[in-house]
């Protein structure tokens, strides 16, 4: 698509003169209010070098450029050159792009040949997949999609919590009190109950702890009977996690979790020793980070066992060797900010310059309307239940509102699950937020159902036109002069920005930037729909309006895809 900022800069540069002393593209602004123009050049920074007052410079530039075809009008106001784009020029450019790119509208190949690892979700085996986990899962999935949309070569990793001393405890508990059928029926609930029972019993019988430790050591050494149980717990847990991933249409390229690195830690420890950063401390080994304002990182315990961070160190090295990433992204809650700061520092101290390519992308906490999510008090809200409830409630709403669909269950699923995802991605990720059913399932506010409904509305207009898209998606058949009204132009400007907004969301690792823009597009379309009658008799006018609607539909559909949501054709 033509880049208006660049084109304008090329027009302005000769008018400013003085060679390339100024970064004109960098100076051009998009005014907050459209009555100040679509683009503006503030002349204050030019004043010193040009030895002239800003308002005089603005006036001069205005006179030199006002007759250019791409402008409808140019005004000089208080030291600014305010430029109004010729709407027909702009619309023709945008619609041509939409017709040309079709379903790929907004996509780019900026990231071609660059590998980006997106690590997200990472629940813990034998522990519930609760509503707190939704954040990493949904935010990570969206970040992966944003990078994919920009042409990066992405790798989705689920770094499962499938290693650690707790497995010694669960194995012990299972051997004492366990039952195979129960585990098969409800794996996570059952395994969790063993874990809880273990702790209760261990209060009175401390020898249980020793037994668990010994069991874990046998597991670490690959003892077959221990390995078999562990593998079974892992498989059963994963089967339950996958139910949730299926509901969310989320996939991974790798499930290499913590256990995958158990045989890769000795080599990592070796490097730390060579670099002289691993120091003994009361029988344990640590990396002292005081110099960097951080507490020491415990790398091996007194008994020689490794820790969470040790596995992350081995994982980082493995990922660099195996994938040679351009970026390695970790979508993990803000409670782990210190962990990742320590980890990145250690990678750097080990002499790996790719530490700068590793990014921890934290997010705030989610709580329920009646208080915080808590595993300890047993008030766990399972993600699966939340999704099922969203679908159920949506179905009730569809019936209540008399919304016509081809397949009510399918629509309820698309909208209900979409609503939860959207709610999650609406606010800046770092903010804590309260999960509220009223907000999730509101069809009128700035919500998932509202955006999906707008998509379905456009689909319905296109169906009602009685015309096949190939009949009107042709720039020569579009009467561009019919779509230069205010609401058409505002919609077009948002569509034009779509690709740039996705780039910004990628740079800031912030899906909410995309979410907000998609809501803006949906609202702009609805204003256009309210102001203008699309299916008019005049063929050129109808073709132009339908093509603009089509462009909005594709942008919304791609936008919803970026969030991990479906775009229903009917609702
Ligand atoms: N399993 C961990 C948890 O639930 C998250 C893992 C995050 N990823 C990592 N590479 N440390 O807290």
């Amino acid at each position: 698509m033509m880049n208006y900022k660049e084109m304008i800069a090329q027009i302005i540069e000769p008018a400013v003169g003085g060679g390339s002393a100024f970064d004109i593209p960098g100076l051009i602004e998009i005014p907050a209010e459209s009555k100040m123009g679509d683009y503006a050049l503030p002349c204050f920074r030019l004043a010193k070098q040009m030895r002239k007052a800003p308002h005089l410079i603005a006036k001069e530039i205005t006179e030199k450029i006002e007759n250019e075809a791409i402008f409808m009008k140019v005004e000089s106001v208080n030291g600014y050159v305010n430029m109004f784009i010729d709407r027909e020029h702009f619309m023709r450019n945008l619609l041509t792009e939409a017709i040309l790119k079709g379903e790929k509208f907004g996509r780019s190949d900026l990231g071609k040949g660059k590998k980006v690892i997106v690590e997200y979700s990472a629940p813990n085996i034998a522990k519930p997949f609760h509503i707190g986990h939704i954040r990493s899962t949904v935010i990570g999935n969206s970040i992966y999609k944003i990078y994919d949309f920009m042409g990066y070569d992405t790798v989705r990793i689920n770094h499962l919590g499938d290693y650690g001393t707790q497995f010694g405890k669960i194995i012990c508990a299972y051997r004492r009190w366990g039952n195979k059928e129960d585990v098969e029926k409800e794996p996570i609930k059952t395994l969790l109950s063993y874990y809880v029972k273990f702790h209760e019993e261990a209060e009175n019988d401390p020898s249980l702890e020793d037994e668990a430790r010994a069991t874990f050591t046998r597991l670490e050494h690959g003892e077959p009977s221990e390995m078999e149980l562990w593998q079974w717990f892992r498989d059963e847990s994963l089967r339950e996690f996958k139910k949730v991933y299926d509901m969310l249409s989320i996939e991974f390229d790798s499930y290499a979790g913590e256990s995958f690195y158990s045989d890769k830690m000795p080599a990592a420890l070796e490097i730390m020793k060579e670099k002289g950063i691993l120091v003994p401390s009361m029988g344990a080994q640590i990396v002292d980070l005081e110099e960097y304002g951080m507490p020491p990182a415990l790398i091996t315990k007194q008994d020689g066992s490794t820790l969470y961070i040790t596995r992350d160190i081995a994982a980082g090295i493995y990922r660099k060797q195996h994938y040679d990433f351009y970026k390695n992204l970790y979508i993990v809650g803000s409670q782990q900010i210190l962990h990742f700061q320590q980890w990145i520092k250690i990678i750097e101290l080990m002499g790996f310059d790719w530490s700068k390519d590793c990014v921890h992308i934290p997010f705030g906490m989610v709580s329920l309307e009646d208080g915080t999510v808590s595993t300890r008090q047993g008030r766990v809200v399972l993600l699966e239940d939340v999704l099922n409830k969203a679908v159920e409630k949506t179905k009730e709403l569809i019936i209540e509102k008399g919304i016509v669909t081809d397949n009510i269950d399918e629509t309820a699923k698309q909208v209900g699950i979409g609503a939860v995802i959207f709610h999650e991605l609406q606010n800046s990720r770092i903010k804590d937020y309260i999960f509220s059913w009223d907000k999730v399932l509101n069809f009128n506010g700035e919500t998932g159902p509202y955006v999906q409904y707008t998509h379905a509305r456009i689909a319905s207009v296109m169906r009602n036109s009685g015309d096949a898209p190939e009949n009107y998606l042709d720039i020569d058949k579009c009467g561009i002069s019919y779509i230069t009204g205010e609401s058409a132009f505002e919609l077009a400007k948002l569509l034009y920005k779509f690709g740039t907004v996705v780039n910004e969301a990628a740079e800031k690792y912030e899906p909410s930037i995309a979410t907000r823009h998609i809501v803006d597009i949906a609202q702009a379309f609805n204003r256009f729909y309210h102001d203008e009658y699309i299916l008019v008799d005049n063929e050129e006018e109808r073709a132009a309006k339908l093509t603009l609607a089509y462009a909005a539909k594709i942008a919304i559909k791609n936008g919803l895809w970026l969030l991990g949501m479906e775009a229903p054709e009917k609702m």
Side-chain angles (χ1 to χ4, degrees):
M1 186 150 31
M2 283 185 204
N3 183 327
Y4 276 89
K5 219 180 212 182
E6 267 171 29
M7 280 195 299
I8 293 170
Q10 273 168 24
I11 292 168
I12 293 177
E13 264 154 20
V16 171
S20 53
F22 303 106
D23 167 27
I24 300 290
L27 286 178
I28 296 173
E29 296 174 351
I30 295 180
E33 275 182 79
S34 41
K35 70 172 197 284
M36 315 291 273
D38 305 310
Y39 292 91
L41 178 79
C43 297
F44 311 98
R45 294 225 220 128
L46 307 175
K48 199 170 167 207
Q49 181 130 353
M50 293 175 76
R51 293 161 193 262
K52 231 181 259 173
H55 74 276
L56 290 177
I57 300 174
K59 194 160 164 276
E60 230 172 74
I61 295 176
T62 300
E63 280 162 10
K64 283 189 188 155
I65 68 171
E66 62 192 348
N67 293 324
E68 291 287 341
I70 77 161
F71 299 125
M72 169 172 85
K73 178 172 80 175
V74 182
E75 289 174 345
S76 107
V77 181
N78 302 329
Y80 280 87
V81 182
N82 292 343
M83 296 162 272
F84 298 80
I85 297 293
D86 180 79
R87 294 186 177 181
E88 282 196 37
H89 188 286
F90 190 79
M91 276 293 181
R92 185 176 301 281
N93 182 5
L94 178 82
L95 296 191
T96 304
E97 172 81 4
I99 294 168
L100 189 78
K101 292 265 263 348
E103 300 275 324
K104 293 205 165 84
F105 184 78
R107 273 194 180 265
S108 70
D109 56 5
L110 271 169
K112 210 170 148 197
K114 290 183 181 145
K115 194 162 277 178
V116 173
I117 294 182
V118 190
E119 191 221 273
Y120 56 106
S121 200
N124 301 319
I125 298 298
K127 295 266 180 70
F129 197 145
H130 60 76
I131 178 168
H133 282 121
I134 191 183
R135 302 221 71 188
S136 172
T137 308
V138 170
I139 295 171
N141 185 49
S142 177
I143 290 178
Y144 139 67
K145 288 189 169 223
I146 288 170
Y147 275 85
D148 176 84
F149 201 68
M150 291 171 62
Y152 287 90
D153 189 1
T154 52
V155 185
R156 300 161 292 183
I157 299 184
N158 193 338
H159 187 81
L160 290 176
D162 58 1
Y163 197 87
T165 44
Q166 74 270 28
F167 289 98
K169 296 176 187 171
I170 299 171
I171 291 174
C172 273
Y174 175 75
R175 286 198 174 129
R176 280 172 183 251
W177 313 293
N179 171 315
K180 187 155 186 252
E181 282 81 62
D182 291 348
V183 176
E184 276 166 354
K185 221 187 294 151
E186 282 187 300
I188 291 175
K189 205 175 146 217
T190 309
L191 294 173
L192 185 66
S193 73
Y194 296 162
Y195 188 63
V196 172
K197 186 167 168 84
F198 179 92
H199 282 279
E200 285 165 5
E201 300 284 326
E203 296 244 324
N204 307 320
D205 180 2
S207 74
L208 276 175
E209 295 279 358
D210 297 330
E211 191 184 320
R213 228 170 285 133
T215 310
F216 179 64
T217 307
R218 283 199 301 277
L219 178 64
E220 274 196 300
H221 291 137
E223 192 72 45
S225 58
E226 263 70 22
M227 286 292 283
E228 200 183 309
L229 277 179
W230 170 82
Q231 186 67 48
W232 178 50
F233 296 158
R234 188 183 193 272
D235 292 346
E236 292 293 332
S237 300
L238 204 50
R239 200 161 51 87
E240 238 182 277
F241 297 154
K242 277 192 176 152
K243 273 200 265 170
V244 175
Y245 296 141
D246 282 347
M247 278 197 246
L248 292 165
S249 302
I250 284 180
E251 288 173 66
F252 294 93
D253 301 302
S254 161
Y255 281 91
E258 291 184 43
S259 68
F260 181 76
Y261 302 100
S262 59
D263 62 351
K264 297 171 181 64
M265 286 183 281
L269 291 171
E270 213 37 59
I271 302 174
M272 285 188 260
K273 263 184 220 142
E274 268 167 36
K275 294 282 166 186
I277 57 172
L278 197 62
V279 295
S281 166
M282 298 185 295
Q285 298 190 90
I286 61 159
V287 176
D288 185 1
L289 297 168
E290 197 184 345
E291 213 182 302
Y292 311 101
M294 287 183 264
L298 185 58
I299 306 292
T300 62
K301 293 192 206 162
Q302 274 109 326
D303 62 6
S305 59
T306 55
L307 291 104
Y308 178 57
I309 196 165
T310 325
R311 275 154 337 248
D312 261 327
I313 294 167
I317 298 170
Y318 174 83
R319 287 182 193 176
K320 185 63 193 176
Q321 281 170 350
H322 193 74
Y323 298 108
D324 193 21
F325 55 73
Y326 163 74
K327 271 186 186 176
N328 180 20
L329 311 178
Y330 294 83
I331 293 87
V332 185
S334 53
Q335 302 95 317
Q336 297 195 28
I337 286 179
L338 176 63
H339 165 78
F340 280 99
Q341 281 171 344
Q342 291 178 314
W343 171 77
I344 289 189
K345 195 65 185 173
I346 293 170
I347 294 288
E348 185 194 316
L349 294 174
M350 287 169 86
F352 297 122
D353 65 346
W354 47 262
S355 66
K356 63 177 191 329
D357 307 323
C358 298
V359 189
H360 173 214
I361 300 165
F363 51 81
M365 294 245 284
V366 53
S367 52
L368 298 168
E369 277 159 309
D370 56 356
T372 325
V373 181
S374 155
T375 336
R376 243 164 288 130
Q377 288 143 28
R379 294 196 318 119
V380 196
V381 179
L382 297 179
L383 182 49
E384 192 182 340
D385 295 343
V386 171
L387 294 176
N388 282 328
K389 190 165 163 194
V391 174
E392 222 171 89
K393 286 193 170 210
T394 306
K395 192 168 166 181
E396 281 165 23
L397 276 172
I398 291 175
I399 295 168
E400 194 185 300
K401 288 179 180 263
I403 294 169
V404 190
T405 66
D406 286 343
N407 182 338
I408 184 166
D409 289 310
E410 185 56 26
T411 307
K413 210 174 124 198
Q414 294 184 336
V415 177
I417 290 177
V420 175
I421 296 176
F422 191 92
H423 188 42
E424 177 56 45
L425 296 176
Q426 200 166 19
N427 298 311
S428 311
R429 59 180 157 73
I430 204 67
K431 275 198 200 154
D432 292 347
Y433 86 101
I434 297 170
F435 186 90
S436 142
W437 281 112
D438 284 347
K439 281 191 196 140
V440 171
L441 294 176
N442 187 339
F443 277 49
N444 302 315
E446 299 182 354
T447 60
Y450 170 79
V451 176
Q452 286 175 319
Y453 180 69
T454 307
H455 180 267
R457 170 179 265 179
I458 304 176
S460 144
V461 172
M462 285 172 65
R463 277 195 304 275
N464 292 341
S465 76
D467 234 352
E470 51 272 27
N471 289 334
Y472 53 80
L473 293 179
D474 177 345
I475 198 72
D476 296 327
K477 290 189 184 159
C478 294
I480 304 287
S481 60
Y482 294 104
I483 47 168
T484 55
E486 206 55 43
S487 50
F489 186 59
E490 288 305 321
L491 171 60
K493 281 208 279 188
L494 291 169
L495 296 175
Y496 171 79
K497 262 174 66 180
F498 180 56
T500 319
V501 170
V502 177
N503 289 0
E504 193 192 330
E507 262 166 38
K508 298 187 173 148
Y509 313 111
E510 188 60 88
S512 66
I513 293 176
T515 315
R516 252 174 275 135
H517 194 68
I518 298 154
V519 172
D520 289 347
I521 291 176
Q523 287 175 333
F525 175 81
N526 286 321
R527 261 189 307 270
F528 169 67
Y529 182 81
H530 173 265
D531 290 357
E532 307 259 354
Y533 185 57
I534 297 177
L535 300 179
V536 292
D537 288 334
N538 179 324
E539 274 186 36
E540 288 193 335
E541 180 176 350
R542 192 176 62 211
K545 288 179 169 175
L546 277 169
T547 303
L548 179 60
Y550 164 83
K553 180 172 185 285
I554 298 292
I556 293 175
K557 186 174 180 181
N558 286 349
L560 288 170
W561 182 86
L562 289 171
L563 307 182
M565 291 168 64
E566 302 279 344
E569 291 287 318
K570 266 191 192 175
M571 71 182 263

